[in-house]
Amino acid sequence: MKNFIFISPDFPSNYWKFCKKLQENGYNVLGIGDCYYDNLADEVKNSVNEYYWVTNLENYDEVYRAVAFFIFKYGKIDYIESNNEYWLERDAMLRTAFNVKSGFMQKDVKKIKYKSQMKKYFGKAGLKTARYCIVKTLKNCEKFIAEVGYPVIAKPDNGVGANDTRKISNETELAEFLENRKPVQYIMEEYIDGEVITYDAIIDGSGNPVFETGNVTPCSLMNVVNDNGNSVFYIVNELGGDVRDAGRRTVKSFGVKNRFVHFEYFRLNKDQSAGKKGDIVALEVNMRPSGGISPDMMNYANSTDVYKIWADVLVYGTTGLTCGEKYYCAFAGRRDGKTFALSEDGIKEKYGSALKITGRVPDVLSGAMGNEMYVASFKTKKEMNEFYSEVLA
């Protein structure tokens, strides 16, 4: 029996489904987390063969000892994975320390985590990216801005999502950013006027996609985070051919194998220095599934089971599972403190047959996703847009 160590199987709350599908395919699934075993949901408990509690997943020594214990008890470890952006570097460190060669190693971290390093590999894939500089001093920032003009975007070079991403529109905001930035490396990019689109796929051991879809964020996630706004994104019913091509070229350039990926691009809203209206410009790669409940949304949009597809690929190399009827699957995240025209009961009454998921967004994800979520699927884009208009009014 092969052994799979899953880091933090309890968060996000739907990730036990990855573990369960591995179990059903005959894997011995070993969980490591900092939630007390007694506090785990029954689904999580039943999806792991053994669970090792650590006081803090941030403590590398504790997690290292947990892996060593599992090796002592069960033998060779075939996979160490979290499918979680926050732990990707930790996953790579553990694979390197224990010579588990089924994923990215510590030497690969820069190209998959640092936005400045990603640009080189996007370039190898033949894709355009925003011009940038590494933030060092006021002088080097001013030199860059003189080249590209205001506004510019500043964000941690190694960051998660849109956290601490800022739009800087003038000298005053530039000075404020430099005064208050955190003690980490920042990247500064020219502003791209575009809609954020993604390539989401499950890649097999030969680097070929077994499942492909994508999502669209009509409004900037950066603005949602910084302006405390409502959150909107949706899974497409059909992936555009140019997005598929960009995604596949990115997979090859980064050497992706046996992974669920979430690649982000801009589709330009108008002609600008980065290209013509409608062109695709690469933004960043994420070597894990799209966050939160997105995998469930992919299932609703494609009438399939991405958890099983992922587990099949890792265990068997491929899958016999196919997609069924296609839908748009819409996410609407409402922000606490706002007054909405339609009550929760009113939403459920009007969209009961279309609603798939409702409830609170975990606090750690609420910055990007709002506080109260409503997920629904629709056959047409018109129906989806009407849903957004009603739910967020």
Side-chain angles (χ1 to χ4, degrees):
M1 179 180 289
K2 290 191 174 184
N3 298 308
F4 193 110
I5 291 179
F6 203 101
I7 307 295
S8 188
D10 61 304
F11 185 85
S13 60
N14 51 323
Y15 272 29
W16 64 269
K17 297 176 185 178
F18 287 114
C19 300
K20 193 62 182 175
K21 294 304 177 182
L22 285 170
Q23 262 192 346
E24 292 173 356
N25 282 355
Y27 262 49
N28 191 41
V29 183
L30 309 167
I32 300 174
D34 53 14
C35 176
Y36 283 114
Y37 181 80
D38 289 345
N39 293 339
L40 294 174
D42 288 341
E43 295 91 343
V44 179
K45 292 178 180 178
N46 295 331
S47 67
V48 295
N49 297 75
E50 186 168 348
Y51 180 79
Y52 191 111
W53 172 75
V54 295
T55 59
N56 189 349
L57 277 173
E58 298 277 5
N59 188 321
Y60 176 75
D61 289 340
E62 275 197 278
V63 180
Y64 180 96
R65 287 195 295 271
V67 175
F69 170 78
F70 281 144
I71 292 173
F72 173 77
K73 185 170 182 178
Y74 295 101
K76 179 179 179 291
I77 301 301
D78 298 279
Y79 287 92
I80 299 175
E81 186 58 74
S82 66
N83 276 350
N84 192 316
E85 183 73 27
Y86 192 79
W87 301 118
L88 288 185
E89 289 184 67
R90 174 64 52 78
D91 296 345
M93 289 172 65
L94 291 169
R95 290 190 204 102
T96 302
F98 292 99
N99 199 33
V100 178
K101 297 181 178 180
S102 53
F104 289 111
M105 307 296 274
Q106 201 165 354
K107 64 180 175 60
D108 303 312
V109 164
K110 281 193 173 181
K111 76 176 182 181
I112 66 170
K113 287 290 292 177
Y114 286 78
K115 295 172 177 62
S116 58
Q117 296 294 314
M118 293 175 190
K119 292 178 181 290
K120 177 171 64 176
Y121 292 90
F122 279 130
K124 289 180 179 179
L127 296 168
K128 294 180 180 178
T129 59
R131 290 173 289 176
Y132 79 101
C133 74
I134 298 299
V135 174
K136 296 178 181 177
T137 63
L138 172 62
K139 187 174 181 179
N140 98 289
C141 291
E142 288 178 334
K143 181 180 179 182
F144 175 70
I145 293 168
E147 177 187 347
V148 303
Y150 283 111
V152 292
I153 304 298
K155 53 192 173 184
D157 197 12
N158 179 9
V160 178
N163 290 335
D164 201 23
T165 298
R166 313 180 195 189
K167 184 178 180 181
I168 299 170
S169 300
N170 53 53
E171 292 178 2
T172 301
E173 292 178 358
L174 175 62
E176 182 183 352
F177 158 67
L178 291 172
E179 176 72 21
N180 299 315
R181 59 180 163 153
K182 296 176 182 178
V184 298
Q185 179 169 289
Y186 281 78
I187 183 175
M188 182 174 285
E189 296 180 316
E190 65 178 318
Y191 177 75
I192 300 295
D193 186 348
E195 183 175 64
V196 177
I197 57 177
T198 75
Y199 173 82
D200 296 89
I202 298 171
I203 310 301
D204 68 17
S206 299
N208 298 312
V210 174
F211 168 83
E212 296 170 302
T213 187
N215 71 52
V216 174
T217 304
C219 56
S220 169
L221 181 60
M222 175 187 66
N223 292 337
V224 171
V225 173
N226 291 337
D227 300 337
N228 204 35
N230 300 319
S231 181
V232 173
F233 73 92
Y234 62 90
I235 308 295
V236 298
N237 64 340
E238 291 290 346
L239 186 64
D242 55 352
V243 183
R244 178 180 287 107
D245 176 64
R248 290 181 177 183
R249 282 191 279 154
T250 303
V251 165
K252 297 299 183 185
S253 181
F254 280 83
V256 182
K257 295 181 180 179
N258 285 329
R259 294 201 73 78
F260 210 138
V261 299
H262 173 65
F263 299 159
E264 299 178 15
Y265 307 89
F266 290 110
R267 187 181 297 283
L268 301 184
N269 289 328
K270 62 181 183 180
D271 292 355
Q272 50 201 283
S273 63
K276 301 292 186 181
K277 180 179 179 180
D279 285 354
I280 289 179
V281 173
L283 176 55
E284 65 179 65
V285 297
N286 300 280
M287 298 299 177
R288 43 78 181 173
S290 181
I293 60 167
S294 294
D296 296 288
M297 292 175 62
M298 294 175 197
N299 287 344
Y300 294 126
N302 293 278
S303 302
T304 192
D305 185 344
V306 296
Y307 301 102
K308 177 170 174 53
I309 294 172
W310 175 82
D312 285 354
V313 165
L314 267 58
V315 177
Y316 307 124
T318 188
T319 185
L321 193 63
T322 58
C323 295
E325 194 170 1
K326 298 295 185 78
Y327 298 86
Y328 292 94
C329 189
F331 177 97
R334 306 212 298 194
R335 187 72 63 183
D336 288 350
K338 298 180 183 292
T339 302
F340 294 94
L342 202 58
S343 68
E344 180 177 348
D345 288 341
I347 293 172
K348 290 179 178 179
E349 181 179 348
K350 184 162 187 176
Y351 292 102
S353 60
L355 281 174
K356 303 301 179 184
I357 304 172
T358 63
R360 295 291 293 178
V361 175
D363 288 343
V364 71
L365 301 176
S366 63
M369 302 182 75
N371 303 104
E372 198 75 27
M373 62 180 168
Y374 298 89
V375 174
S377 60
F378 302 96
K379 287 299 294 181
T380 68
K381 199 169 186 178
K382 180 182 178 182
E383 291 174 304
M384 179 180 70
N385 288 336
E386 289 172 354
F387 166 77
Y388 281 134
S389 295
E390 290 278 355
V391 171
L392 299 177

